[in-house]
Amino acid sequence: IKRLCVWLLMEADGFVRRRRMTAETPGGDAAVAGASAGAEIRWLTGRFLGVSEGIVGTLVPRIGGECELNAVQLYGSQEVSEMSEPDYEGLPRGASTSTYMLAGAVAGIMEHCLMFPIDCVKTRMQSLQPDPAARYRNVMEALWRIMKTEGIWRPIRGLNATAVGAGPAHALYFACYEKLKKSLSDVIHPGANSHLANGAAGCVATLLHDAAMNPAEVVKQRMQMYNSPYRGVLDCVRCVWQREGLGAFYRSYTTQLTMNVPFQALHFITYEYLQELLNPQRHYNPASHMVSGALAGAIAAAATTPLDVCKTLLNTQESLALHPLSQSGGHISGLAHAFRTVYRLGGLPAYFKGVQARVIYQVPSTAISWSVYEFFKYVITKHQLERWRSQRDAEK
């Protein structure tokens, strides 16, 4: 017990000092700092003892109060108990994984649905030998011609498949990233942000995201191609299954990982770096989340375009109809085979086909994803904090 008390006092002092630095910075909130420190101490105590925060509140009720009292003494005479704004970057330490999963699922669905027409254009512009009727000079001309010649709803064909895949994929993606980022940062650079931890967490999160999203990507891109023979999503799934087998839905998985692992590592490192510059206190700031997300997406998208072209080729198998192949039973399989095919059909410039559409797609896409994710994380965290406060008040 004596050792536990000493450890708790040391942790409390560390948390209170950290919250003091936040409050002394312009925009810092002393009430949030004290309350967040108390919440984190109760959570850490529960983890140490293996019991819930409610039990901790009963066993050691003075811990949170002492943290709040210290906050008043350190920060001034502001009323700590009247919390106006939760520190949403600090409080989720003890939040359930469902918080990140719900926020991530909503962000992913909104991102993909809103940007789907541009994604359709990107897929077509990456075609190595397009039909003469499907040759486009730029994104806006492509979008206009698709709607004019194929119907106003043609750019969103296959949207339902993407929505079904994006929800669980992004739920796993953000939950894994947030949990691993905190765990790895504590090991690599305790008490501070670690770019290595951010990049590593993004890479691992990508493994789960792509495993859930790859089948939806195959169906989506086949339905986006010019003169797609499929009547709908279910017809596409049935035809691919019958003609090419289950493996067709994961034929581009290794290429997807080869592209997305460096993409997400660069994306997350850039995002977290820009957040340190634009939002050093990590308060909820929609403008900083949007700008950081947009710039991070643009840089990562441009750098990984060659791999995206190969992924599109593997998913659509477009050269099968244009150029009979004898290798691999008539199918393009594997990243090396895709790279050779791209070079044979278009040379070096072919690796950057659709780069304009890809960057135009990723800039608003990542901006939407991060701003929506941070917003829902903030709202859910605030709700959890209010519920926790009401439970604490009821226990008193």
Side-chain angles (χ1 to χ4, degrees), residues 93-225:
R93 270 191 80 103
S96 63
T97 305
S98 61
T99 298
Y100 306 118
M101 296 188 76
L102 180 57
V106 173
I109 292 172
M110 288 189 66
E111 168 200 345
H112 283 281
C113 289
L114 290 174
M115 298 306 301
F116 195 84
I118 305 299
D119 186 54
C120 176
V121 172
K122 176 186 75 73
T123 298
R124 292 204 182 186
M125 292 184 76
Q126 287 179 337
S127 177
L128 297 175
Q129 292 184 343
D131 187 280
R135 297 179 187 271
Y136 312 110
R137 290 192 298 270
N138 55 60
V139 175
M140 294 310 298
E141 187 225 7
L143 199 56
W144 169 251
R145 282 178 54 190
I146 291 172
M147 291 190 294
K148 183 180 179 180
T149 60
E150 302 175 51
I152 193 172
W153 302 112
R154 187 62 179 85
I156 60 172
R157 195 162 181 255
L159 176 63
N160 47 350
T162 298
V164 170
H170 279 72
L172 293 170
Y173 175 70
F174 278 109
C176 179
Y177 172 70
E178 291 282 4
K179 292 295 183 181
L180 280 178
K181 180 181 73 171
K182 288 180 173 59
S183 300
L184 294 175
S185 291
D186 289 342
V187 173
I188 298 172
H189 198 173
N193 184 42
S194 169
H195 295 306
L196 179 60
N198 298 334
C203 291
V204 176
T206 301
L207 298 177
L208 298 178
H209 172 274
D210 288 357
M213 195 67 188
N214 210 86
E217 282 283 315
V218 172
V219 174
K220 176 200 73 175
Q221 290 196 311
R222 293 202 179 202
M223 295 189 68
Q224 287 174 335
M225 294 299 289

Side-chain angles (χ1 to χ4, degrees), residues 127-354:
S127 177
L128 297 175
Q129 292 184 343
D131 187 280
R135 297 179 187 271
Y136 312 110
R137 290 192 298 270
N138 55 60
V139 175
M140 294 310 298
E141 187 225 7
L143 199 56
W144 169 251
R145 282 178 54 190
I146 291 172
M147 291 190 294
K148 183 180 179 180
T149 60
E150 302 175 51
I152 193 172
W153 302 112
R154 187 62 179 85
I156 60 172
R157 195 162 181 255
L159 176 63
N160 47 350
T162 298
V164 170
H170 279 72
L172 293 170
Y173 175 70
F174 278 109
C176 179
Y177 172 70
E178 291 282 4
K179 292 295 183 181
L180 280 178
K181 180 181 73 171
K182 288 180 173 59
S183 300
L184 294 175
S185 291
D186 289 342
V187 173
I188 298 172
H189 198 173
N193 184 42
S194 169
H195 295 306
L196 179 60
N198 298 334
C203 291
V204 176
T206 301
L207 298 177
L208 298 178
H209 172 274
D210 288 357
M213 195 67 188
N214 210 86
E217 282 283 315
V218 172
V219 174
K220 176 200 73 175
Q221 290 196 311
R222 293 202 179 202
M223 295 189 68
Q224 287 174 335
M225 294 299 289
Y226 181 75
N227 278 339
S228 174
Y230 308 107
R231 296 189 301 272
V233 170
L234 294 180
D235 180 53
C236 181
V237 172
R238 180 180 58 80
C239 291
V240 173
W241 183 290
Q242 290 177 348
R243 297 171 185 171
E244 303 174 47
L246 180 62
F249 294 103
Y250 282 95
R251 187 177 286 131
S252 66
Y253 183 58
T254 53
T255 302
Q256 184 104 336
L257 289 179
T258 305
M259 175 187 72
N260 280 344
V261 165
F263 174 91
Q264 297 299 350
L266 185 58
H267 172 206
F268 280 115
I269 290 172
T270 305
Y271 178 81
E272 296 289 352
Y273 174 73
L274 290 172
Q275 280 292 286
E276 288 182 353
L277 297 179
L278 302 176
N279 186 19
Q281 298 308 314
R282 297 305 181 99
H283 295 152
Y284 174 60
N285 186 334
S288 74
H289 300 316
M290 190 170 292
V291 172
S292 299
L295 292 175
I299 293 170
T304 56
T305 296
L307 291 166
D308 192 48
V309 171
C310 293
K311 183 206 76 172
T312 298
L313 176 61
L314 287 166
N315 279 344
T316 61
Q317 295 289 309
E318 64 158 328
S319 67
L320 185 62
L322 301 169
H323 218 23
L325 298 173
S326 58
Q327 301 178 14
S328 304
H331 296 293
I332 297 174
S333 59
L335 181 59
H337 192 183
F339 259 103
R340 290 195 302 270
T341 305
V342 171
Y343 184 78
R344 176 171 56 80
L345 294 176
L348 290 177
Y351 290 113
F352 289 91
K353 288 178 75 69

Side-chain angles (χ1 to χ4, degrees), residues 13-37 40 71 74-75 78 85-91 191-192 279-284:
D13 181 65
F15 279 124
V16 170
R17 289 179 183 277
R18 182 153 56 90
R19 297 307 179 194
R20 182 181 186 181
M21 293 174 65
T22 300
E24 289 175 348
T25 306
D29 192 326
V32 172
S36 182
E40 292 190 38
L74 289 170
Y75 309 133
Q78 297 186 36
E85 194 83 352
D87 180 358
Y88 88 114
E89 285 286 356
L91 290 171
N279 186 19
Q281 298 308 314
R282 297 305 181 99
H283 295 152
Y284 174 60

Side-chain angles (χ1 to χ4, degrees), residues 342-375:
V342 171
Y343 184 78
R344 176 171 56 80
L345 294 176
L348 290 177
Y351 290 113
F352 289 91
K353 288 178 75 69
V355 63
Q356 179 196 42
R358 179 165 164 78
V359 172
I360 290 175
Y361 168 80
Q362 285 294 344
V363 166
S365 177
T366 48
I368 291 169
S369 179
W370 277 111
S371 57
V372 171
Y373 173 69
E374 298 286 3
F375 170 74

